Amino acid sequence: MPLLKVIDLKKYFPVQQSFLERLLSRKLDYVKAVDGISFEAEKGEVFSIAGESGCGKTTTGRLIVRLIDPTEGKIFFNGADITCLSGEELRKLRKRMQIIFQNPYASLNPRMKIGENVGHPLEIHGIAYGREKEKLVMEMLEKVGLQPASKFYNAYPHELSGGQRQRVAVARAMILKPDFIVADEPISMIDVSLRARILELMIQLKEELNLTYLFITHDLAVAKYISDKIAIMYLGKIVEMGEKEVIFSDPKHPYTNALLSAVPVPDPNVKRKRVMLKGEVPSPINPPTGCRFHTRCPLATDICRREEPKLVEIDDNHFVACHMIK
Ligand SMILES: Nc1ncnc2c1ncn2[C@@H]1O[C@H](COP(=O)(O)OP(=O)(O)O)[C@@H](O)[C@H]1O
Ligand code: SF4
Ligand SMILES: [Mg+2]
């Protein structure tokens, strides 16, 4: 049984309209941020969601940890339907599922010392208070490489560097010993020189604490490093999904190929043809008809403008949504 199973998940945000617009159009427009995605993540694996900015990655992450409610679809965690949990049940789920945000500064309370920031979830969930809490927090600070822990315990977020703050955010996500963590671009806002060390820390903690990650990134080089499986998203849809090795060695979807051609190849003997993407990502309010990628796809034909391609399994665990790939 997969730890996480998502079935036909959708999130439509109503577009804010002025009084006059509402009066004239009589129709509500929606941003189709996530528009019918399905996938499974097994316990212990790193499942990555990759794609350009605006394709619905963050919304997917927020839906899964139930920070926002889906418009349609189902989410199963450890076999249980968590789509509509609320109140006490949702609070219990929070203990098992955590999220690390892109901006570590925004996710920490600037008026709380680091020790209080990290220890707060222990109090909220009634797990530890006072001395006991302090001990658990100190251990966790050591684990994420904030040493000596006593120095960091009493510091405030503004006294730390970006990399140190993201270590604090990791510590806070891990302190409840969750099973599952959504990491939403956890290294994209920290200094390039510190990124590899944070990724290494996340992998090490995953092994140590037997975690499962939903890892969100716009950077395929990062996805290549950390993932077991990858789903490529475009305008609210998954266009290709499979084992990391397959996605990188045998990509099928024209969008995946375009993204991959922008990733530097370390081996000078391997040459990849650079595919330039035309134009901008279209608006998710009125996505293109048929295949959403047809306005930018070098292979698009008539059928692409008319019919939406389904995500089909073309090989063992390798899924592609494209009329040209069978
Ligand atoms: N709360 C919201 N209200 C309206 N539109 C939103 C909201 N959150 C995200 N969106 C829109 O949904 C789309 C997907 O956003 P997001 O999930 O943040 O993408 P990504 O993380 O891949 O950059 C974007 O067009 C974004 O503007
Ligand atoms: S379905 Fe057509 S437009 Fe879409 S990716 Fe395939 S070839 Fe390109
Ligand atoms: Mg995002």
Side-chain angles (χ1 to χ4, degrees):
M1 182 172 63
L3 182 63
L4 177 77
K5 187 178 169 90
V6 168
I7 304 174
D8 205 19
L9 197 62
K10 295 185 184 173
K11 182 66 185 181
Y12 293 180
F13 295 107
V15 175
Q16 299 292 335
Q17 289 175 316
S18 69
F19 174 74
L20 188 63
E21 280 169 335
R22 275 204 302 271
L23 198 72
L24 295 176
S25 76
R26 289 203 184 104
K27 161 178 159 284
L28 261 182
D29 276 332
Y30 292 93
V31 179
K32 295 173 179 165
V34 174
D35 203 6
I37 62 169
S38 304
F39 63 89
E40 294 178 0
E42 302 293 333
K43 187 158 178 57
E45 78 181 1
V46 180
F47 187 100
S48 292
I49 296 188
E52 285 166 294
S53 172
C55 68
K57 305 181 296 295
T58 293
T59 305
T60 303
R62 294 174 71 214
L63 283 168
I64 287 167
V65 297
R66 294 296 327 283
L67 284 175
I68 50 174
D69 292 324
T71 308
E72 258 181 67
K74 290 268 178 220
I75 308 163
F76 292 89
F77 183 67
N78 222 359
D81 185 347
I82 60 160
T83 323
C84 301
L85 291 189
S86 63
E88 181 57 23
E89 287 178 322
L90 189 56
R91 208 179 65 91
K92 278 196 198 135
L93 179 75
R94 292 268 146 79
K95 229 173 100 181
R96 305 190 56 193
M97 268 186 165
Q98 291 283 310
I99 184 163
I100 299 171
F101 295 101
Q102 189 167 11
N103 180 352
Y105 204 51
S107 62
L108 298 175
N109 184 334
R111 284 180 301 276
M112 274 187 181
K113 289 179 178 171
I114 296 304
E116 294 164 31
N117 262 300
V118 174
H120 198 52
L122 290 172
E123 288 182 340
I124 294 177
H125 289 275
I127 293 169
Y129 305 91
R131 272 287 152 83
E132 175 63 13
K133 181 187 84 170
E134 199 177 314
K135 184 170 151 277
L136 291 172
V137 171
M138 291 285 197
E139 281 170 12
M140 191 45 85
L141 292 178
E142 296 269 341
K143 239 193 223 321
V144 299
L146 294 171
Q147 290 150 339
S150 54
K151 177 184 137 205
F152 286 97
Y153 193 99
N154 289 307
Y156 284 92
H158 75 265
E159 298 174 80
L160 271 54
S161 70
Q164 288 169 337
R165 281 200 287 262
Q166 198 55 300
R167 284 174 193 264
V168 174
V170 169
R172 199 179 53 173
M174 308 271 176
I175 193 99
L176 294 172
K177 300 199 165 39
D179 303 297
F180 183 83
I181 290 190
V182 172
D184 186 1
E185 313 237 19
I187 58 165
S188 65
M189 285 183 72
I190 55 182
D191 200 83
V192 174
S193 62
L194 300 170
R195 290 182 181 173
R197 296 200 11 223
I198 298 284
L199 278 186
E200 277 162 18
L201 170 70
M202 289 190 67
I203 291 175
Q204 178 204 325
L205 289 170
K206 177 183 107 66
E207 301 300 325
E208 219 175 295
L209 306 172
N210 197 17
L211 294 164
T212 306
Y213 288 149
L214 181 79
F215 195 93
I216 293 173
T217 181
H218 67 277
D219 185 342
L220 278 180
V222 172
K224 184 173 186 182
Y225 178 75
I226 199 163
S227 321
D228 295 302
K229 282 192 207 133
I230 302 180
I232 307 284
M233 272 184 90
Y234 187 75
L235 274 179
K237 295 260 179 194
I238 292 176
V239 297
E240 182 158 10
M241 173 164 74
E243 302 285 335
K244 174 196 36 200
E245 289 75 19
V246 173
I247 298 291
F248 280 88
S249 66
D250 190 22
K252 295 289 189 208
H253 197 282
Y255 182 59
T256 312
N257 273 307
L259 289 181
L260 278 178
S261 75
V263 178
V265 184
D267 181 351
N269 297 318
V270 179
K271 292 241 179 330
R272 251 192 217 131
K273 207 166 123 245
R274 177 118 201 188
V275 189
M276 293 299 280
L277 280 178
K278 294 182 284 184
E280 303 270 300
V281 182
S283 157
I285 299 176
N286 284 307
T289 55
C291 174
R292 286 170 191 212
F293 189 53
H294 86 245
T295 54
R296 303 170 82 195
C297 181
L299 307 181
T301 62
D302 261 0
I303 185 175
C304 305
R305 287 178 268 276
R306 283 195 319 269
E307 269 178 47
E308 181 156 9
K310 290 197 172 58
L311 188 68
V312 289
E313 191 168 8
I314 56 155
D315 209 338
D316 257 3
N317 278 320
H318 187 187
F319 298 82
V320 182
C322 173
H323 292 304
M324 303 302 145
I325 309 294
K326 297 266 152 45

